[in-house]
Amino acid sequence: MDKLPAFFPFTQVVGQDDMKRALLLNIVDPGIGGVLIKGEKGTAKSTTVRSLNWILPYRKAVKGCPFHCQFGREDRYCPYCSERLAKGEKLEPEDVRMRVIDLPLSATEDRVSGTLDLEHVLKTGEKKFEPGVLAAANGNILYVDEVNLLDDHLVDLLLDSAAMGTNYVEREGVSFSHPARFVLIGTMNPEEGDLRPQLLDRFGLSVDIKGERDVKMRAEVVKKRVEYDLDPEAYIAKCSKDLEAMTAKIEKAIELHPKVKAGDDVIDMVVSVMVHFGVDGHRADITLMKAAKANAALEGRTEVTKDDIRQTAELVLSHRLKRKPFEEKALDREELEECLANL
């Protein structure tokens, strides 16, 4: 098993099944659009996101590329890889493991997007780019804790880059772009303020979590954390087989995902759910379709069923529902069941 910092093991996180499912779905299909996790303090939001480091799969990247371009996808190569190809150089692959990249709240726009050395350009005529956080995030997970406290223009920058899969930097008429395909995960405490509605809708999935109220489950949380804190390395070693099995499950789902099919009946179900709950636009419909297909792949199936919609609909809808002032933003599961029963 890889030598990593002492992250708590993902497989040992107690409860919070919706949060864990939302994270796994985005690993299987990054095109879902990321996850926004909202919850009170002390509900394992950050712990769970960082624990993904133990189960993230490997991928093939171009060896020596500062952006870790996806090997074999020439249409997604950075300018450096494209230039090497044009010169007749044979690019080699290397296996790199996906990882969680943290974005500090204090980060500036230059730190996030990277900077162009204009003086170097003027002197030599060659572009010199200093990679930023978005370069490191390519092919990985970009994690923003307290995303609601991040400057709006930075949130816009992250969401735009995630949607386009490219980071574009321009300074004084000189431009540079590189691949920036990543899964954006944000966590926040609603007591500290909310995101603008326009930004909320840009997150593919959203989860509202609360602390455990069941005495046995709550006790289990305490026991596991105390044992882990006593000897993290021993605790992680004890969980190694479970972690490796979870990684293998994710890798199998990623391989299976392109083969997953959804019939017209499933598409009709997805659209009917959105119409029933009065969701505007078509982004939610497409996101639910993607989430249902990723869920089927996780379950080892190549056909989307009503159960896949049932398990993912709340993740897609919870932050998109229209609510009256002071009304709780939560999906009525009984209403969802009634809606699906009639389809």
Side-chain angles (χ1 to χ4, degrees):
M1 178 166 280
D2 293 353
K3 183 68 176 177
L4 293 171
F7 301 114
F8 190 81
F10 181 85
T11 54
Q12 295 300 300
V13 175
V14 177
Q16 310 298 8
D17 292 337
D18 285 343
M19 173 169 60
K20 290 187 284 190
R21 182 179 297 276
L23 294 170
L24 294 177
L25 293 176
N26 270 274
I27 297 171
V28 174
D29 181 9
I32 288 173
V35 191
L36 178 63
I37 303 170
K38 299 184 285 184
E40 58 199 26
K41 58 187 177 183
T43 47
K45 299 186 297 295
S46 299
T47 296
T48 305
V49 174
R50 294 192 174 104
S51 74
L52 289 172
N53 279 293
W54 288 114
I55 62 168
L56 290 172
Y58 285 86
R59 65 185 187 89
K60 290 200 178 294
V62 176
K63 189 174 184 180
C65 173
F67 307 105
H68 292 106
C69 286
Q70 183 180 349
F71 183 80
R73 288 299 303 265
E74 296 181 15
D75 56 319
R76 297 181 179 178
Y77 279 177
C78 68
Y80 301 142
C81 289
S82 297
E83 185 178 351
R84 289 167 63 187
L85 269 183
K87 290 179 178 178
E89 185 178 341
K90 184 179 179 181
L91 304 184
E92 297 180 2
E94 66 173 342
D95 288 327
V96 295
R97 190 167 199 169
M98 285 182 67
R99 57 196 178 103
V100 178
I101 307 294
D102 280 85
L103 176 68
L105 278 177
S106 59
T108 62
E109 184 173 347
D110 283 350
R111 175 74 183 92
V112 174
S113 61
T115 55
L116 277 164
D117 188 337
L118 296 178
E119 186 177 348
H120 182 83
V121 173
L122 292 173
K123 284 183 177 179
T124 66
E126 296 178 350
K127 295 179 183 179
K128 183 178 181 182
F129 180 73
E130 185 65 34
V133 174
L134 290 179
N138 185 41
N140 294 308
I141 289 173
L142 181 58
Y143 174 47
V144 187
D145 192 13
E146 298 181 315
V147 64
N148 52 321
L149 303 182
L150 195 66
D151 287 343
D152 282 348
H153 76 282
L154 286 181
V155 177
D156 282 327
L157 172 63
L158 297 178
L159 290 169
D160 286 342
S161 296
M164 295 187 298
T166 303
N167 176 39
Y168 183 82
V169 181
E170 184 173 357
R171 299 287 185 274
E172 303 297 332
V174 180
S175 62
F176 184 90
S177 64
H178 67 79
R181 297 179 179 273
F182 55 86
V183 176
L184 180 62
I185 298 175
T187 55
M188 57 176 278
N189 184 345
E191 295 176 357
E192 298 172 343
D194 213 337
L195 283 174
R196 301 199 318 266
Q198 303 95 308
L199 298 180
L200 274 175
D201 184 58
R202 297 282 295 279
F203 279 93
L205 308 180
S206 177
V207 190
D208 292 276
I209 61 173
K210 296 180 180 179
E212 291 291 347
R213 294 293 182 261
D214 181 83
V215 173
K216 289 185 178 180
M217 293 279 280
R218 205 172 176 104
E220 189 70 13
V221 172
V222 175
K223 288 177 185 176
K224 289 189 174 185
R225 188 69 209 198
V226 169
E227 184 182 353
Y228 169 81
D229 287 340
L230 283 173
D231 192 341
E233 289 191 3
Y235 190 85
I236 291 165
K238 186 179 75 170
C239 304
S240 61
K241 288 186 178 180
D242 288 341
L243 293 170
E244 289 168 359
M246 180 59 76
T247 302
K249 179 180 179 179
I250 294 170
E251 290 174 339
K252 182 180 178 181
I254 292 172
E255 184 179 349
L256 187 64
H257 181 254
K259 304 173 186 175
V260 176
K261 305 297 181 184
D264 289 344
D265 58 329
V266 173
I267 296 174
D268 288 343
M269 286 183 209
V270 168
V271 174
S272 297
V273 167
M274 294 305 161
V275 171
H276 176 86
F277 285 98
V279 179
D280 293 332
H282 304 292
R283 181 178 285 141
D285 307 56
I286 296 168
T287 302
L288 180 53
M289 191 72 260
K290 289 181 177 180
K293 291 179 73 172
N295 194 74
L298 264 178
E299 301 293 335
R301 290 182 279 105
T302 56
E303 290 286 341
V304 177
T305 68
K306 187 181 290 189
D307 279 340
D308 295 312
I309 298 174
R310 179 180 288 109
Q311 293 180 43
T312 56
E314 185 172 4
L315 302 175
V316 176
L317 285 166
S318 62
H319 58 308
R320 294 185 168 97
L321 293 178
K322 296 177 182 178
R323 295 298 185 195
K324 297 176 182 178
F326 309 113
E327 190 175 5
E328 184 179 352
K329 286 187 177 181
L331 179 70
D332 187 329
R333 297 197 181 195
E334 289 186 6
E335 185 179 355
L336 175 62
E337 285 298 331
E338 290 177 7
C339 175
L340 290 172
N342 296 324
L343 298 177

